[in-house]
Short mmCIF file of all heavy atoms in Angstrom, two decimals:
data_model
loop_
_atom_site.label_atom_id
_atom_site.label_comp_id
_atom_site.label_asym_id
_atom_site.label_seq_id
_atom_site.Cartn_x
_atom_site.Cartn_y
_atom_site.Cartn_z
N MET A 11 -8.77 14.49 2.25
CA MET A 11 -9.18 13.21 2.77
C MET A 11 -8.71 13.12 4.22
O MET A 11 -7.56 13.41 4.52
CB MET A 11 -8.56 12.11 1.90
CG MET A 11 -8.99 10.73 2.31
SD MET A 11 -8.28 9.39 1.31
CE MET A 11 -8.96 9.70 -0.29
N THR A 12 -9.58 12.67 5.07
CA THR A 12 -9.23 12.54 6.48
C THR A 12 -8.42 11.26 6.69
O THR A 12 -8.41 10.37 5.84
CB THR A 12 -10.49 12.48 7.37
OG1 THR A 12 -11.18 11.27 7.09
CG2 THR A 12 -11.39 13.69 7.14
N ALA A 13 -7.78 11.19 7.84
CA ALA A 13 -6.99 10.00 8.18
C ALA A 13 -7.88 8.75 8.22
O ALA A 13 -7.47 7.67 7.78
CB ALA A 13 -6.28 10.20 9.51
N GLU A 14 -9.08 8.91 8.73
CA GLU A 14 -10.02 7.78 8.80
C GLU A 14 -10.40 7.29 7.40
O GLU A 14 -10.45 6.09 7.14
CB GLU A 14 -11.27 8.18 9.57
CG GLU A 14 -12.23 7.03 9.79
CD GLU A 14 -13.42 7.43 10.65
OE1 GLU A 14 -13.22 8.16 11.64
OE2 GLU A 14 -14.53 7.01 10.32
N GLN A 15 -10.62 8.22 6.49
CA GLN A 15 -10.95 7.86 5.11
C GLN A 15 -9.78 7.16 4.44
O GLN A 15 -9.97 6.20 3.68
CB GLN A 15 -11.35 9.10 4.32
CG GLN A 15 -12.69 9.67 4.72
CD GLN A 15 -12.95 11.03 4.07
OE1 GLN A 15 -12.04 11.84 3.91
NE2 GLN A 15 -14.20 11.27 3.70
N GLU A 16 -8.57 7.62 4.71
CA GLU A 16 -7.39 6.97 4.14
C GLU A 16 -7.29 5.53 4.61
O GLU A 16 -6.97 4.64 3.82
CB GLU A 16 -6.12 7.74 4.52
CG GLU A 16 -5.99 9.06 3.81
CD GLU A 16 -4.74 9.82 4.21
OE1 GLU A 16 -3.84 9.23 4.85
OE2 GLU A 16 -4.64 11.00 3.88
N LEU A 17 -7.55 5.30 5.90
CA LEU A 17 -7.51 3.94 6.42
C LEU A 17 -8.58 3.08 5.78
O LEU A 17 -8.35 1.89 5.49
CB LEU A 17 -7.69 3.96 7.95
CG LEU A 17 -6.53 4.55 8.75
CD1 LEU A 17 -6.89 4.63 10.22
CD2 LEU A 17 -5.27 3.73 8.54
N GLU A 18 -9.76 3.64 5.54
CA GLU A 18 -10.83 2.89 4.89
C GLU A 18 -10.45 2.50 3.47
O GLU A 18 -10.71 1.38 3.03
CB GLU A 18 -12.12 3.70 4.88
CG GLU A 18 -12.77 3.84 6.24
CD GLU A 18 -13.99 4.76 6.22
OE1 GLU A 18 -14.44 5.14 5.12
OE2 GLU A 18 -14.49 5.07 7.31
N VAL A 19 -9.83 3.42 2.75
CA VAL A 19 -9.40 3.14 1.39
C VAL A 19 -8.32 2.07 1.40
O VAL A 19 -8.36 1.12 0.60
CB VAL A 19 -8.89 4.43 0.69
CG1 VAL A 19 -8.21 4.10 -0.64
CG2 VAL A 19 -10.04 5.40 0.48
N ASP A 20 -7.35 2.19 2.29
CA ASP A 20 -6.30 1.18 2.40
C ASP A 20 -6.89 -0.20 2.67
O ASP A 20 -6.51 -1.20 2.04
CB ASP A 20 -5.31 1.53 3.51
CG ASP A 20 -4.47 2.75 3.20
OD1 ASP A 20 -4.55 3.26 2.05
OD2 ASP A 20 -3.75 3.21 4.10
N ALA A 21 -7.84 -0.28 3.61
CA ALA A 21 -8.48 -1.54 3.95
C ALA A 21 -9.24 -2.11 2.75
O ALA A 21 -9.19 -3.32 2.48
CB ALA A 21 -9.43 -1.36 5.13
N TYR A 22 -9.90 -1.24 2.00
CA TYR A 22 -10.64 -1.68 0.81
C TYR A 22 -9.68 -2.26 -0.24
O TYR A 22 -9.94 -3.31 -0.82
CB TYR A 22 -11.44 -0.53 0.22
CG TYR A 22 -12.12 -0.90 -1.07
CD1 TYR A 22 -13.29 -1.63 -1.06
CD2 TYR A 22 -11.57 -0.53 -2.29
CE1 TYR A 22 -13.91 -2.00 -2.26
CE2 TYR A 22 -12.18 -0.89 -3.47
CZ TYR A 22 -13.35 -1.62 -3.46
OH TYR A 22 -13.95 -1.98 -4.63
N VAL A 23 -8.59 -1.55 -0.49
CA VAL A 23 -7.62 -2.02 -1.48
C VAL A 23 -7.03 -3.35 -1.07
O VAL A 23 -6.90 -4.27 -1.88
CB VAL A 23 -6.52 -0.96 -1.72
CG1 VAL A 23 -5.40 -1.52 -2.58
CG2 VAL A 23 -7.11 0.29 -2.35
N LEU A 24 -6.68 -3.48 0.21
CA LEU A 24 -6.14 -4.75 0.69
C LEU A 24 -7.14 -5.87 0.53
O LEU A 24 -6.82 -6.97 0.07
CB LEU A 24 -5.72 -4.63 2.16
CG LEU A 24 -4.37 -3.97 2.41
CD1 LEU A 24 -4.18 -3.69 3.89
CD2 LEU A 24 -3.25 -4.85 1.90
N ALA A 25 -8.40 -5.62 0.90
CA ALA A 25 -9.43 -6.64 0.81
C ALA A 25 -9.71 -7.05 -0.64
O ALA A 25 -9.95 -8.22 -0.93
CB ALA A 25 -10.71 -6.16 1.47
N SER A 26 -9.67 -6.10 -1.54
CA SER A 26 -9.98 -6.41 -2.94
C SER A 26 -8.75 -6.84 -3.75
O SER A 26 -8.87 -7.14 -4.93
CB SER A 26 -10.68 -5.24 -3.61
OG SER A 26 -10.00 -4.05 -3.43
N SER A 27 -7.60 -6.89 -3.10
CA SER A 27 -6.39 -7.31 -3.81
C SER A 27 -6.41 -8.80 -4.14
O SER A 27 -5.72 -9.24 -5.05
CB SER A 27 -5.14 -7.00 -2.98
OG SER A 27 -5.07 -7.85 -1.85
N GLY A 28 -7.20 -9.57 -3.40
CA GLY A 28 -7.25 -11.01 -3.63
C GLY A 28 -6.09 -11.76 -3.00
O GLY A 28 -5.96 -12.96 -3.17
N LEU A 29 -5.25 -11.04 -2.28
CA LEU A 29 -4.11 -11.68 -1.63
C LEU A 29 -4.54 -12.30 -0.30
O LEU A 29 -5.39 -11.77 0.39
CB LEU A 29 -3.01 -10.65 -1.38
CG LEU A 29 -2.42 -9.98 -2.62
CD1 LEU A 29 -1.54 -8.81 -2.22
CD2 LEU A 29 -1.62 -10.98 -3.42
N ARG A 30 -3.92 -13.43 0.02
CA ARG A 30 -4.17 -14.04 1.33
C ARG A 30 -3.50 -13.19 2.41
O ARG A 30 -2.42 -12.65 2.20
CB ARG A 30 -3.61 -15.46 1.38
CG ARG A 30 -4.40 -16.45 0.54
CD ARG A 30 -3.77 -17.82 0.54
NE ARG A 30 -2.52 -17.75 -0.24
CZ ARG A 30 -1.33 -18.13 0.20
NH1 ARG A 30 -1.18 -18.66 1.39
NH2 ARG A 30 -0.25 -18.02 -0.55
N ILE A 31 -4.14 -13.10 3.55
CA ILE A 31 -3.62 -12.27 4.65
C ILE A 31 -2.22 -12.71 5.07
O ILE A 31 -1.40 -11.90 5.50
CB ILE A 31 -4.59 -12.30 5.85
CG1 ILE A 31 -5.89 -11.60 5.46
CG2 ILE A 31 -3.99 -11.64 7.08
CD1 ILE A 31 -6.98 -11.69 6.51
N THR A 32 -1.92 -13.98 4.91
CA THR A 32 -0.61 -14.50 5.32
C THR A 32 0.45 -14.42 4.23
O THR A 32 1.60 -14.77 4.47
CB THR A 32 -0.76 -15.96 5.78
OG1 THR A 32 -1.33 -16.72 4.71
CG2 THR A 32 -1.62 -16.07 7.02
N SER A 33 0.07 -13.96 3.03
CA SER A 33 1.04 -13.93 1.93
C SER A 33 2.03 -12.78 2.08
O SER A 33 1.75 -11.77 2.72
CB SER A 33 0.31 -13.81 0.59
OG SER A 33 -0.22 -12.52 0.43
N ARG A 34 3.18 -12.95 1.46
CA ARG A 34 4.21 -11.91 1.49
C ARG A 34 3.73 -10.65 0.78
O ARG A 34 4.02 -9.54 1.21
CB ARG A 34 5.49 -12.42 0.85
CG ARG A 34 6.20 -13.44 1.69
CD ARG A 34 7.37 -14.06 0.99
NE ARG A 34 8.28 -13.07 0.44
CZ ARG A 34 9.26 -13.34 -0.39
NH1 ARG A 34 9.47 -14.57 -0.78
NH2 ARG A 34 10.03 -12.39 -0.84
N GLY A 35 3.00 -10.83 -0.32
CA GLY A 35 2.49 -9.69 -1.07
C GLY A 35 1.53 -8.84 -0.25
O GLY A 35 1.59 -7.62 -0.28
N TYR A 36 0.64 -9.51 0.49
CA TYR A 36 -0.31 -8.80 1.35
C TYR A 36 0.43 -8.01 2.42
O TYR A 36 0.15 -6.84 2.65
CB TYR A 36 -1.28 -9.79 1.99
CG TYR A 36 -2.33 -9.15 2.87
CD1 TYR A 36 -3.58 -8.82 2.35
CD2 TYR A 36 -2.10 -8.88 4.22
CE1 TYR A 36 -4.56 -8.23 3.13
CE2 TYR A 36 -3.06 -8.30 5.01
CZ TYR A 36 -4.29 -7.98 4.47
OH TYR A 36 -5.24 -7.39 5.25
N LYS A 37 1.38 -8.68 3.07
CA LYS A 37 2.15 -8.01 4.13
C LYS A 37 2.96 -6.84 3.56
O LYS A 37 3.04 -5.78 4.19
CB LYS A 37 3.07 -9.01 4.82
CG LYS A 37 2.31 -10.04 5.64
CD LYS A 37 3.23 -11.08 6.23
CE LYS A 37 2.42 -12.14 6.95
NZ LYS A 37 3.27 -13.22 7.46
N ALA A 38 3.51 -7.02 2.37
CA ALA A 38 4.28 -5.94 1.75
C ALA A 38 3.38 -4.77 1.38
O ALA A 38 3.74 -3.61 1.60
CB ALA A 38 5.01 -6.47 0.52
N LEU A 39 2.20 -5.07 0.83
CA LEU A 39 1.26 -4.01 0.46
C LEU A 39 0.78 -3.27 1.70
O LEU A 39 0.70 -2.04 1.72
CB LEU A 39 0.07 -4.61 -0.30
CG LEU A 39 -0.88 -3.65 -0.98
CD1 LEU A 39 -0.15 -2.74 -1.95
CD2 LEU A 39 -1.97 -4.43 -1.70
N LYS A 40 0.50 -4.01 2.77
CA LYS A 40 0.08 -3.38 4.03
C LYS A 40 1.19 -2.48 4.57
O LYS A 40 0.92 -1.36 5.02
CB LYS A 40 -0.29 -4.46 5.05
CG LYS A 40 -0.85 -3.89 6.32
CD LYS A 40 -1.30 -4.99 7.25
CE LYS A 40 -1.83 -4.36 8.52
NZ LYS A 40 -2.13 -5.33 9.55
N THR A 41 2.42 -2.96 4.52
CA THR A 41 3.55 -2.15 4.98
C THR A 41 3.70 -0.90 4.13
O THR A 41 3.98 0.19 4.65
CB THR A 41 4.85 -2.98 4.94
OG1 THR A 41 4.69 -4.11 5.79
CG2 THR A 41 6.05 -2.16 5.40
N LEU A 42 3.49 -1.04 2.83
CA LEU A 42 3.56 0.13 1.94
C LEU A 42 2.53 1.17 2.35
O LEU A 42 2.83 2.36 2.40
CB LEU A 42 3.33 -0.30 0.49
CG LEU A 42 3.31 0.81 -0.55
CD1 LEU A 42 4.67 1.49 -0.62
CD2 LEU A 42 2.93 0.25 -1.90
N PHE A 43 1.30 0.73 2.65
CA PHE A 43 0.27 1.68 3.08
C PHE A 43 0.64 2.33 4.41
O PHE A 43 0.42 3.52 4.62
CB PHE A 43 -1.08 0.99 3.21
CG PHE A 43 -1.71 0.62 1.90
CD1 PHE A 43 -2.50 -0.50 1.79
CD2 PHE A 43 -1.53 1.42 0.78
CE1 PHE A 43 -3.10 -0.82 0.58
CE2 PHE A 43 -2.12 1.09 -0.43
CZ PHE A 43 -2.90 -0.03 -0.53
N GLU A 44 1.19 1.55 5.32
CA GLU A 44 1.51 2.07 6.65
C GLU A 44 2.69 3.02 6.62
O GLU A 44 2.77 3.96 7.41
CB GLU A 44 1.80 0.91 7.60
CG GLU A 44 0.57 0.10 7.93
CD GLU A 44 0.89 -1.17 8.70
OE1 GLU A 44 2.08 -1.52 8.84
OE2 GLU A 44 -0.07 -1.82 9.14
N HIS A 45 3.62 2.79 5.70
CA HIS A 45 4.85 3.58 5.67
C HIS A 45 5.06 4.26 4.31
O HIS A 45 6.18 4.61 3.96
CB HIS A 45 6.06 2.71 6.00
CG HIS A 45 5.93 2.01 7.31
ND1 HIS A 45 6.03 2.67 8.51
CD2 HIS A 45 5.67 0.72 7.61
CE1 HIS A 45 5.85 1.81 9.49
NE2 HIS A 45 5.61 0.62 8.97
N GLY A 46 3.97 4.42 3.57
CA GLY A 46 4.06 4.97 2.22
C GLY A 46 4.70 6.34 2.16
O GLY A 46 5.41 6.65 1.21
N ASN A 47 4.44 7.17 3.15
CA ASN A 47 5.03 8.51 3.13
C ASN A 47 6.54 8.44 3.20
O ASN A 47 7.23 9.22 2.55
CB ASN A 47 4.49 9.36 4.28
CG ASN A 47 3.06 9.78 4.04
OD1 ASN A 47 2.59 9.80 2.92
ND2 ASN A 47 2.37 10.11 5.10
N LEU A 48 7.06 7.49 3.97
CA LEU A 48 8.51 7.33 4.04
C LEU A 48 9.06 6.89 2.69
O LEU A 48 10.08 7.39 2.24
CB LEU A 48 8.88 6.29 5.12
CG LEU A 48 8.57 6.68 6.56
CD1 LEU A 48 8.89 5.52 7.48
CD2 LEU A 48 9.38 7.90 6.95
N LEU A 49 8.37 5.94 2.05
CA LEU A 49 8.81 5.50 0.73
C LEU A 49 8.75 6.65 -0.27
O LEU A 49 9.64 6.81 -1.10
CB LEU A 49 7.95 4.33 0.23
CG LEU A 49 8.23 2.99 0.87
CD1 LEU A 49 7.20 1.96 0.39
CD2 LEU A 49 9.62 2.52 0.51
N TYR A 50 7.68 7.42 -0.19
CA TYR A 50 7.52 8.54 -1.11
C TYR A 50 8.71 9.48 -1.01
O TYR A 50 9.26 9.91 -2.03
CB TYR A 50 6.22 9.28 -0.80
CG TYR A 50 6.00 10.51 -1.62
CD1 TYR A 50 5.48 10.42 -2.90
CD2 TYR A 50 6.34 11.77 -1.13
CE1 TYR A 50 5.28 11.56 -3.67
CE2 TYR A 50 6.14 12.91 -1.90
CZ TYR A 50 5.61 12.80 -3.16
OH TYR A 50 5.42 13.92 -3.92
N TRP A 51 9.12 9.79 0.19
CA TRP A 51 10.24 10.72 0.37
C TRP A 51 11.58 10.08 0.02
O TRP A 51 12.49 10.76 -0.42
CB TRP A 51 10.28 11.27 1.79
CG TRP A 51 9.15 12.21 2.03
CD1 TRP A 51 8.05 12.00 2.82
CD2 TRP A 51 8.95 13.50 1.44
NE1 TRP A 51 7.20 13.08 2.75
CE2 TRP A 51 7.72 14.01 1.93
CE3 TRP A 51 9.70 14.27 0.55
CZ2 TRP A 51 7.23 15.26 1.54
CZ3 TRP A 51 9.21 15.51 0.17
CH2 TRP A 51 7.99 15.99 0.66
N CYS A 52 11.68 8.75 0.20
CA CYS A 52 12.96 8.07 -0.08
C CYS A 52 13.15 7.72 -1.55
O CYS A 52 14.23 7.90 -2.09
CB CYS A 52 13.06 6.80 0.75
SG CYS A 52 13.22 7.09 2.52
N ILE A 53 12.08 7.19 -2.19
CA ILE A 53 12.26 6.73 -3.57
C ILE A 53 11.43 7.50 -4.59
O ILE A 53 11.57 7.27 -5.78
CB ILE A 53 11.98 5.21 -3.70
CG1 ILE A 53 10.51 4.89 -3.41
CG2 ILE A 53 12.89 4.41 -2.82
CD1 ILE A 53 10.14 3.42 -3.66
N GLY A 54 10.58 8.38 -4.14
CA GLY A 54 9.80 9.20 -5.06
C GLY A 54 8.42 8.64 -5.34
O GLY A 54 8.15 7.46 -5.14
N LYS A 55 7.58 9.51 -5.82
CA LYS A 55 6.17 9.16 -6.06
C LYS A 55 6.03 8.06 -7.11
O LYS A 55 5.33 7.08 -6.89
CB LYS A 55 5.40 10.40 -6.49
CG LYS A 55 3.94 10.14 -6.79
CD LYS A 55 3.23 11.39 -7.23
CE LYS A 55 1.78 11.13 -7.54
NZ LYS A 55 1.09 12.33 -7.98
N ASN A 56 6.67 8.22 -8.26
CA ASN A 56 6.50 7.25 -9.34
C ASN A 56 6.95 5.86 -8.94
O ASN A 56 6.27 4.87 -9.22
CB ASN A 56 7.23 7.71 -10.60
CG ASN A 56 6.59 8.94 -11.21
OD1 ASN A 56 5.42 9.20 -11.03
ND2 ASN A 56 7.40 9.72 -11.90
N ASP A 57 8.10 5.76 -8.29
CA ASP A 57 8.60 4.45 -7.87
C ASP A 57 7.73 3.85 -6.77
O ASP A 57 7.53 2.63 -6.73
CB ASP A 57 10.05 4.54 -7.41
CG ASP A 57 11.00 4.79 -8.57
OD1 ASP A 57 10.66 4.42 -9.71
OD2 ASP A 57 12.09 5.34 -8.33
N THR A 58 7.20 4.68 -5.88
CA THR A 58 6.31 4.17 -4.84
C THR A 58 5.03 3.62 -5.46
O THR A 58 4.58 2.54 -5.10
CB THR A 58 5.96 5.29 -3.83
OG1 THR A 58 7.17 5.78 -3.24
CG2 THR A 58 5.05 4.77 -2.73
N LEU A 59 4.46 4.32 -6.42
CA LEU A 59 3.26 3.84 -7.09
C LEU A 59 3.54 2.58 -7.90
O LEU A 59 2.72 1.65 -7.92
CB LEU A 59 2.69 4.93 -8.00
CG LEU A 59 2.13 6.16 -7.28
CD1 LEU A 59 1.74 7.23 -8.30
CD2 LEU A 59 0.97 5.79 -6.40
N GLU A 60 4.68 2.52 -8.56
CA GLU A 60 5.04 1.32 -9.32
C GLU A 60 5.22 0.13 -8.39
O GLU A 60 4.79 -0.98 -8.71
CB GLU A 60 6.34 1.58 -10.10
CG GLU A 60 6.72 0.45 -11.02
CD GLU A 60 5.70 0.21 -12.13
OE1 GLU A 60 5.03 1.16 -12.56
OE2 GLU A 60 5.57 -0.95 -12.54
N LEU A 61 5.83 0.33 -7.25
CA LEU A 61 5.98 -0.74 -6.27
C LEU A 61 4.61 -1.22 -5.78
O LEU A 61 4.37 -2.43 -5.66
CB LEU A 61 6.83 -0.27 -5.08
CG LEU A 61 7.05 -1.27 -3.95
CD1 LEU A 61 7.74 -2.52 -4.47
CD2 LEU A 61 7.85 -0.63 -2.83
N ALA A 62 3.71 -0.31 -5.52
CA ALA A 62 2.35 -0.68 -5.10
C ALA A 62 1.66 -1.51 -6.17
O ALA A 62 1.01 -2.50 -5.86
CB ALA A 62 1.54 0.56 -4.76
N ARG A 63 1.80 -1.10 -7.43
CA ARG A 63 1.18 -1.85 -8.52
C ARG A 63 1.78 -3.26 -8.61
O ARG A 63 1.09 -4.24 -8.78
CB ARG A 63 1.38 -1.14 -9.86
CG ARG A 63 0.39 -0.04 -10.07
CD ARG A 63 0.47 0.50 -11.50
NE ARG A 63 0.32 1.93 -11.42
CZ ARG A 63 1.28 2.82 -11.56
NH1 ARG A 63 2.50 2.45 -11.85
NH2 ARG A 63 1.05 4.10 -11.42
N PHE A 64 3.09 -3.36 -8.50
CA PHE A 64 3.78 -4.64 -8.57
C PHE A 64 3.33 -5.57 -7.45
O PHE A 64 3.07 -6.75 -7.67
CB PHE A 64 5.30 -4.43 -8.51
CG PHE A 64 6.07 -5.71 -8.43
CD1 PHE A 64 6.26 -6.49 -9.57
CD2 PHE A 64 6.59 -6.14 -7.23
CE1 PHE A 64 6.97 -7.67 -9.50
CE2 PHE A 64 7.32 -7.33 -7.15
CZ PHE A 64 7.50 -8.09 -8.30
N LEU A 65 3.22 -5.04 -6.24
CA LEU A 65 2.85 -5.87 -5.10
C LEU A 65 1.40 -6.34 -5.16
O LEU A 65 1.05 -7.35 -4.59
CB LEU A 65 3.09 -5.10 -3.80
CG LEU A 65 4.55 -4.82 -3.46
CD1 LEU A 65 4.65 -3.92 -2.24
CD2 LEU A 65 5.31 -6.11 -3.24
N SER A 66 0.56 -5.61 -5.85
CA SER A 66 -0.85 -5.97 -5.91
C SER A 66 -1.16 -6.95 -7.05
O SER A 66 -2.29 -7.38 -7.20
CB SER A 66 -1.72 -4.73 -6.04
OG SER A 66 -1.48 -4.09 -7.26
N ILE A 67 -0.17 -7.31 -7.84
CA ILE A 67 -0.37 -8.26 -8.95
C ILE A 67 -0.52 -9.66 -8.41
O ILE A 67 0.07 -10.11 -7.55
CB ILE A 67 0.80 -8.19 -9.96
CG1 ILE A 67 0.78 -6.85 -10.65
CG2 ILE A 67 0.71 -9.30 -10.97
CD1 ILE A 67 1.94 -6.63 -11.58
#
């Protein structure tokens, strides 16, 4: 997947999350997408995915 495709997927997920742009959940999910690789290396894949699922609820 190219970097452009990853950005498109991230934008789609954010848009379909139903979160308001000003909400803490939206900002947290956006931050997760922007810095996900850092989280992956710090807390691991499973915990990063679980955090993403939690934030999108």
Side-chain angles (χ1 to χ4, degrees):
M11 183 180 296
T12 67
E14 185 176 319
Q15 289 171 323
E16 288 179 13
L17 291 174
E18 289 175 10
V19 170
D20 291 353
Y22 175 79
V23 171
L24 279 170
S26 51
S27 70
L29 298 169
R30 288 176 290 126
I31 293 174
T32 57
S33 73
R34 288 173 52 191
Y36 181 93
K37 291 176 184 176
L39 191 56
K40 185 175 179 188
T41 300
L42 178 64
F43 288 148
E44 291 171 351
H45 304 288
N47 287 338
L48 294 175
L49 284 174
Y50 176 83
W51 289 109
C52 292
I53 65 175
K55 179 181 179 180
N56 292 334
D57 289 334
T58 301
L59 293 174
E60 186 63 31
L61 178 60
R63 279 189 220 105
F64 174 77
L65 293 174
S66 65
I67 293 176

